[in-house]
Amino acid sequence: MKNLLYLILLLSSTALAQPQPVKLFISVDMEGIGGIGTSKMTSGGKDYDTGRKLMTDEVNAVVAAIFETSPATIVVNDSHGDMQNLLHTQLDPRVGYIQSNIKPLGMVQGLDSSFDGVIYIGYHAMAGTENGFLAHTGSGSVKGLWINGTEVGEGGLNTFFAGAVGVPVILASGDKTFAEEIKKLVPGVRTVSTKEAIGSSAAKLLHPDVVKKELQTQTKAALKDIKNAKPLPVQNPIEFIIKVDAPTRADVAMGIPGMKRVDGYTVSYQAKDMDEAYKLIRVIYKYLQW
């Protein structure tokens, strides 16, 4: 009987010692990837293929670190440009992959409350940021975006969405200016700086191998501390204000019921939640034409 009790206790303690499975969402942009130092590397220039390889390698480095730490379910969302940049046949086969930019939630498509954490890879600073490498917000048509009074870029917008579904951002990588930007919104987030901008279109780069090693170190640290990570508090309704590049675009946006005009370049809208707000913001900067 004693031996049986001992065996039960041993099996129970062994089970408790095993890492608990986690479900993680990875949104991967391209401008902030280590080794990318020109716009042409992100959009069809002579080194675009190199950029795609660097992007894929960073995702795989993070994924490897996750599985070294814990059993996991991982969804990777390609979040740059046409959103078909990752070399998906070279991605770690243990991940799910979301491709194409024809999706209503863009960079956060697939993210819901079932996830334990969000990781951003290769992000950049918001539109108009001094010393932000290739800084922009969504597209060149956006000159400023505010959510409930807070100015945000893509990282901030996505963090508001993650917070609205109750999921914390646990790790974010990109240029130095982006890392500083995301820390202001999420003070406890772990970051990896991949480069330092020289103006808006050049950068002093860290070697990709250095970046991948640091990404793995910070991924493991973030997972060990994931129970302490907190989602960004988000209160409904959501008011967004968006400043666009031309009054005509704002004119067209006013065709959306409930939209209000702030000035020639700026409109605002009160959405019931972040799902509605995110989809409308994306419509304005991506699909409104004239």
Side-chain angles (χ1 to χ4, degrees), residues 8-22:
I8 292 170
L9 288 172
L10 180 63
L11 291 172
S12 298
S13 61
T14 301
L16 289 172
Q18 295 298 316
Q20 295 299 305
V22 293

Side-chain angles (χ1 to χ4, degrees), residues 39 77 130 151-152 183 208 210 248 252 271 285 289:
S39 62
N77 185 12
E130 184 178 5
E151 187 172 12
V152 297
K183 280 182 177 179
V210 174
T248 311
V252 177
Y285 74 68
Q289 305 293 331

